[in-house]
Amino acid sequence: MTLEDRLRSQGVKVNGTFDVQNFFDIFARILSRKYGIEITVKAIRKSEDEENQEGNICEQAS
């Protein structure tokens, strides 16, 4: 189940797409300027298997 599917199942209306890499690039640029250091970010999409494994771990811990 994708993030979009999970949000829709909770009643959240999803319009358009969210560019994760662009968000983190801008966030890194803001922090770089604030602290005077260079910050780089690379967003990596998890596979569905990894997401399912994490979900199973959380369910077992509850």
Side-chain angles (χ1 to χ4, degrees):
M1 180 180 279
T2 66
L3 175 59
E4 187 175 337
D5 293 336
R6 285 185 274 178
L7 291 173
R8 283 190 177 147
S9 70
Q10 295 174 5
V12 176
K13 186 176 180 181
V14 178
N15 291 326
T17 59
F18 179 72
D19 186 349
V20 175
Q21 183 63 51
N22 189 42
F23 170 78
F24 283 112
D25 286 341
I26 293 169
F27 188 58
R29 198 172 319 137
I30 291 168
L31 293 176
S32 293
R33 287 181 186 162
K34 180 176 181 175
Y35 294 105
I37 58 175
E38 183 179 344
I39 300 173
T40 57
V41 180
K42 182 177 181 183
I44 301 172
R45 178 178 287 272
K46 289 185 178 181
S47 68
E48 287 187 27
D49 291 337
E50 289 176 324
E51 287 185 16
N52 291 338
Q53 288 175 353
E54 287 183 6
N56 292 339
I57 292 170
C58 292
E59 290 173 10
Q60 292 172 1
S62 318

